[in-house]
Every structure is written in structure tokens, then in C-alpha cells.
Amino acid sequence: MANINPTSNGSIEKAEEIKILANEAFKANKFSQSIDLYSEAINLNGHNAVYWANRAFAHTKLEEYGCAVQDATKAIEINPKYSKGYYRRGAAYLSMGKFKEALKDFQQVKRICPNDPDAARKLRECEKAYQKIRFEEAIAVQDSQRHSVADSIDYHSIEVEAQYNGARIEGEVVTLQFVKKMLDDFKNQKCLHKRYAYQIILQAREMLRAMSSLVDITIPDGHHFTVCGDVHGQFYDLLNIFELNGLPSEENPYLFNGDFVDRGSFSVEVILTLFAFKCMAPSAMHLARGNHESKNMNKIYGFEGEVKSKLSEAFVELFAEVFCCLPLAHVINDKVFVVHGGLFSVDGVKLSDIRAIDRFCEPPEEGLMCEILWSDPQPQYGRGPSKRGVGLSFGEDVTKRFLQENNLDLLVRSHEVKDEGYEIEHDGKLITVFSAPNYCDQMGNKGAFIRFKAPHLKPDIVTFPSVPHPNVMPMAYANNFLRLFS
């Protein structure tokens, strides 16, 4: 008779019960809760590859691709013939833009499941994507040899057809009247003429190029300033922010803290709106770069496809060039530091170091610029690996040292979905603000923005729900291969 450990059997049964609860949480789009429950199941029975692969999938939904790769790898170690382990890891690699690694995993899925038509189809899509990337890399021009796309565009020579009845810019000045008409047109799903789109983008480029990598913002006593987080192509929620808080103006200035585009399928409308306000009143609209203002992300998550569909392929390279002009950080009244991602892998970084970053490039995979765009806070002290697979995680002690060394009071950042639209961490010294409610039409989160009033700069956080939008799904313009794996 076999020697059966009743405790072990009890743990296995309990783990299965918890897995069922985790699956239900996942189906309800409660991904953080499902991760916690899968973790409980793993603690009771860490030898079940399914639990690890399921938790990897939940991490992918929260864009924690580094954690997803780790969990899927563990599932593969437990059961090297478990196809879903390779599948989940391949999907995470795809989402990170690591096509070569993804391809290896999907080839393994096909080897394990040679007669599965779905596996074969997804392998073909991954191969096509990898070949396309390889081809683009092969023909890419070195940055040192690249000529500015903007220099080759003369928007004055572009004819506006007589039948065009949309918003028009008279002369060189972007007016509030034009912007309001443009917003109404966008709301009704009308396109802006390419001539005016070029004009807005090129004028915004000139303004952004002239700015420092770190921008100082001064709010006079008695005046206020609004900081918004990620918008991610959710144009109708952006309009709602303006309904709630007023249109940008010199008396009502805004900072949008990166990730204007991708995921949501109205990214062209969002970016043209923000750039138009920048042109109309430069001090009314401040813009910071996010990790999604980059070629690699735009290629994967929909902005590139949307630009080609709504404008033309020529605009893709122009947007990429302008995104490289976006500042990386802002400081409000020498006290509030605002950045998209977070802090750094080393202590002692000064504001002068950030100001000196040469930002006119695609984001590197390491260093200060990478960490500004990608890092996240963690509850533990010290530093840890990034759950995203890029940048790092930093603790309360890191935040407090950075603020003290630079004579700052508060760190405001974005970059992460939060159920309430915001989260206060690190003993009140760090606030995450996220302004895309019901992110990707599935997360159920609120959006938020922060109002600061001088001189005290006490953060006044306003939350808001999502509003209806036309029946266009998120990721509608994303590459087909990514939609297959989401």
C-alpha cells in the first residue's frame, strides 16, 4: 500500500479549489485578484505547471511581462511537454517586442502539438512578424545618417479640396476656434485634413525640440495646475477630462504625463488634440514622453496601424521623430517631480543629470532614460527586478533619498493601471495617476487627474468613470499577431 501523506493530499485539493476561484476572478477581469489566488494555489502545490502558466497569463493582462516570462518558464521546468507554458511565454515575449525569443517558443508549441491548426496559424503569424522586423532592421538607416522627415514636408503646398468641410487653420496660428471645431469633428469620427495635421505636428515639433529634457514649471500663488496620467488613445475619456476640468488655457494649464497613444483606437485624435493645444497656447499644455511614445511600442500596440489608416504612412516616421523631442520630466515650483515611469538603478541622480540627457533618440534598453520611462514602485525597500522585464522596481527608501537629495517634496508618476485611477505609496511621497478609465474596455478601473494649487501644492485628486465611445474595439489597428495572443 502506498504511503500517502494526508496533508499533502489536502493541500492538493485545497489548491484546486483556489485555482477555480482564481479562474473565476480572471474571467471577471479581476487580474490582480486572480494573481493573488494563483499564488495561494502555488504555495499549496508548487509542482502544478497549470497554476504557473495561468498566473503568467494574468500577469500578461496587467502588462507585467517580465513576471509572465518567469512564471511560464517555471511551468516549462515542471513539465517540459506542457505546450501552454511555451505558449504563455511566447505571448509575453511578443508583447515585449522580443520576436526572436517568441518565435522559438511557438516553434516548440508546434512540435508538441503538430496537428493543432491553431498552433500552426499562430506560428505562421509570429514568423511573418519576425521576418518583417528583420527586414526593417536590415534596411534601416543609421541615426547618424538619417535626415529629418520634417525637413522634407511643406504643408503649405498641400491643396485642401473644396468639398472638405472640416476644421481649417487660417494662416499660421492655431486658434481656440479651430481646436473646438476639430474636437467636434473628431467626436463625430471625421478626419482632419492632412495639411492641417502636418501643420500641427510640425509646429509642436519646433516647440518641443527647443525644450530641455527636464522642464521647470512655475505656478504663481493662487493659481492651479493639472497633471494627467496615461490616456492611451481613449479620446472620448480625454474629452470627458476637459468637460470635468475645463479646456487647457493659460489660466488652466495641464501636464499629460506620457502614453498618449497605443492600445486605444483613437490615438490619432488624442495626439492631434494634445499637439493642437500645445500650438494654441504653449504654456497651457505640457507633454512628457512615455514608454509608448516609441517606434517599437507603436508598431506592436496599434498606433502605427492607426496612423496609416487615418492619415498616411508618411506620418508614421514624422510622429516617431516628434516623439523623440518630448521632454522626459517636469518639476513644478521646485517641489513636485513628475515623470512617466519612475526612478533609477543608482542613488545620487540629480536633476541636472536628467536635464543633461540626450533624449533625441529611441528609448535605450538601459540607463537613466530607460528607467525614467519604464520603472515602477515596489512595496519593499531597496530595488528589485522589473515585473515588466524592462527598467526596475524601486522602494520607499529610494524615493525618499531621491527627493531629499534634490530638495523635492513629492514624486508623481503614471505608467500603471490603478483601480481608483490613482494610488498613494511610499509614505505619501509617491502618487501614481492613470487617466484611462476602463482601460482597454476591460479593466473596470476609474481614471484620475491631480490638481495642484500654489503655493502649498497639496494634491487634489479627482476620479472619474469611463464614458461611452463609438463601437471600435481597443487594439483595432494593432498587428494581427498580437491580437491573436491577447
Side-chain angles (χ1 to χ4, degrees):
M1 185 174 176
N3 181 20
I4 298 172
N5 184 332
T7 306
S8 177
N9 279 349
S11 296
I12 291 170
E13 289 173 7
K14 182 66 174 173
E16 275 297 297
E17 292 172 9
I18 293 171
K19 183 199 81 170
I20 292 168
L21 295 176
N23 291 349
E24 290 171 357
F26 185 94
K27 288 174 186 173
N29 294 333
K30 297 177 179 177
F31 302 119
S32 293
Q33 183 183 342
S34 71
I35 287 171
D36 291 341
L37 289 166
Y38 288 131
S39 298
E40 284 186 44
I42 287 168
N43 287 338
L44 289 166
N45 179 15
H47 301 291
N48 189 319
V50 174
Y51 302 166
W52 292 95
N54 285 6
R55 193 171 74 174
F57 196 16
H59 278 304
T60 299
K61 289 291 188 179
L62 291 179
E63 302 177 19
E64 297 171 352
Y65 304 123
C67 291
V69 167
Q70 290 176 356
D71 279 357
T73 300
K74 184 65 177 177
I76 292 164
E77 288 172 0
I78 292 167
N79 183 358
K81 294 185 180 294
Y82 183 49
S83 63
K84 271 195 177 176
Y86 298 99
Y87 185 94
R88 298 295 180 223
R89 189 170 69 181
Y93 277 138
L94 269 181
S95 299
M96 296 166 73
K98 296 187 174 182
F99 298 97
K100 186 176 181 180
E101 292 88 341
L103 184 59
K104 290 178 183 176
D105 279 333
F106 289 118
Q107 287 168 339
Q108 187 63 24
V109 173
K110 183 67 168 64
R111 278 193 284 269
I112 295 170
C113 309
N115 300 317
D116 183 341
D118 186 54
R121 183 167 64 102
K122 288 175 177 175
L123 175 59
R124 284 196 303 272
E125 287 296 332
C126 191
E127 285 172 339
K128 279 161 55 179
Y130 180 57
Q131 288 163 4
K132 184 170 183 282
I133 294 294
R134 289 284 302 274
F135 175 73
E136 289 171 350
E137 287 174 349
I139 64 171
V141 179
Q142 293 295 321
D143 284 345
S144 58
Q145 302 172 312
R146 191 185 302 275
H147 297 290
S148 168
V149 180
D151 292 342
S152 66
I153 298 167
D154 177 16
Y155 61 83
H156 298 95
S157 66
I158 300 174
E159 182 182 350
V160 179
E161 300 80 2
Q163 64 267 31
Y164 174 73
N165 62 359
R168 293 173 180 259
I169 302 172
E170 302 298 336
E172 299 302 307
V173 179
V174 174
T175 64
L176 180 59
Q177 181 182 0
F178 162 79
V179 176
K180 285 182 174 179
K181 167 65 172 162
M182 183 184 74
L183 294 184
D184 281 340
D185 288 348
F186 285 164
K187 192 174 181 179
N188 294 311
Q189 293 186 272
K190 295 180 181 177
C191 293
L192 181 67
H193 197 282
K194 292 181 177 65
R195 182 210 189 279
Y196 305 120
Y198 274 128
Q199 184 171 347
I200 289 167
I201 298 165
L202 291 169
Q203 286 187 10
R205 172 182 174 269
E206 288 307 304
M207 294 175 188
L208 295 168
R209 276 178 74 195
M211 303 177 85
S212 169
S213 292
L214 184 149
V215 176
D216 293 291
I217 296 169
T218 301
I219 312 171
D221 288 356
H223 291 245
H224 66 268
F225 187 87
T226 302
V227 178
C228 296
D230 304 35
V231 178
H232 273 301
Q234 296 185 199
F235 174 70
Y236 294 84
D237 293 307
L238 174 63
L239 290 183
N240 189 40
I241 291 172
F242 295 149
E243 283 286 327
L244 295 170
N245 197 55
L247 290 174
S249 68
E250 291 180 358
E251 296 74 35
N252 188 35
Y254 283 81
L255 164 58
F256 281 83
N257 196 30
D259 281 12
F260 321 123
V261 301
D262 281 339
R263 297 282 189 180
S265 294
F266 303 95
S267 293
V268 166
E269 289 82 356
V270 166
I271 194 63
L272 288 176
T273 296
L274 298 179
F275 280 177
F277 276 117
K278 183 70 180 173
C279 296
M280 183 195 84
S283 63
M285 179 60 70
H286 298 272
L287 301 169
R289 193 173 192 174
N291 61 299
H292 275 267
E293 278 69 57
S294 71
K295 282 185 183 179
N296 197 29
M297 293 291 104
N298 297 163
K299 195 177 295 296
I300 297 170
Y301 291 102
F303 184 58
E304 180 180 301
E306 186 182 340
V307 170
K308 289 177 180 178
S309 175
K310 293 179 180 177
L311 293 167
S312 71
E313 190 157 356
F315 280 87
V316 173
E317 194 64 36
L318 180 60
F319 274 119
E321 188 175 302
V322 180
F323 287 165
C324 291
C325 300
L326 288 162
L328 302 177
H330 292 76
V331 174
I332 304 170
N333 284 11
D334 297 322
K335 290 300 175 188
V336 180
F337 180 69
V338 189
V339 69
H340 179 72
L343 296 180
F344 311 102
S345 55
V346 294
D347 288 332
V349 175
K350 296 295 191 341
L351 295 183
S352 57
D353 298 320
I354 300 168
R355 208 181 303 276
I357 294 173
D358 181 5
R359 70 184 188 279
F360 298 99
C361 61
E362 288 301 308
E365 294 187 7
E366 59 184 11
L368 297 186
M369 183 172 169
C370 170
E371 291 160 4
I372 278 174
L373 298 177
W374 281 97
S375 294
D376 295 292
Q378 65 179 22
Q380 307 89 350
Y381 272 41
R383 296 177 171 89
S386 168
K387 57 193 174 187
R388 300 174 189 269
V390 188
L392 70 144
S393 298
F394 59 96
E396 179 184 321
D397 54 330
V398 176
T399 297
K400 287 187 172 180
R401 278 197 302 273
F402 175 81
L403 295 176
Q404 288 168 359
E405 289 170 356
N406 288 284
N407 196 28
L408 298 163
D409 294 338
L410 180 67
L411 166 59
V412 175
R413 43 90 62 181
S414 304
H415 194 41
E416 283 185 285
V417 184
K418 298 296 179 183
D419 287 343
E420 293 301 312
Y422 74 97
E423 186 173 359
I424 301 172
E425 300 172 83
H426 292 183
D427 195 27
K429 293 294 185 181
L430 183 150
I431 304 177
T432 297
V433 59
F434 192 84
S435 302
N438 195 26
Y439 179 48
C440 291
D441 285 359
Q442 69 172 9
M443 299 301 288
N445 60 292
K446 293 177 183 175
F449 54 82
I450 308 174
R451 284 170 60 100
F452 292 96
K453 188 172 182 180
H456 302 297
L457 299 185
K458 181 182 176 184
D460 176 19
I461 301 173
V462 178
T463 65
F464 55 93
S466 63
V467 296
H469 63 74
N471 188 25
V472 182
M473 297 297 290
M475 305 283 281
Y477 300 92
N479 268 325
N480 185 46
F481 71 84
L482 191 64
R483 288 201 299 273
L484 284 173
F485 301 104
S486 61

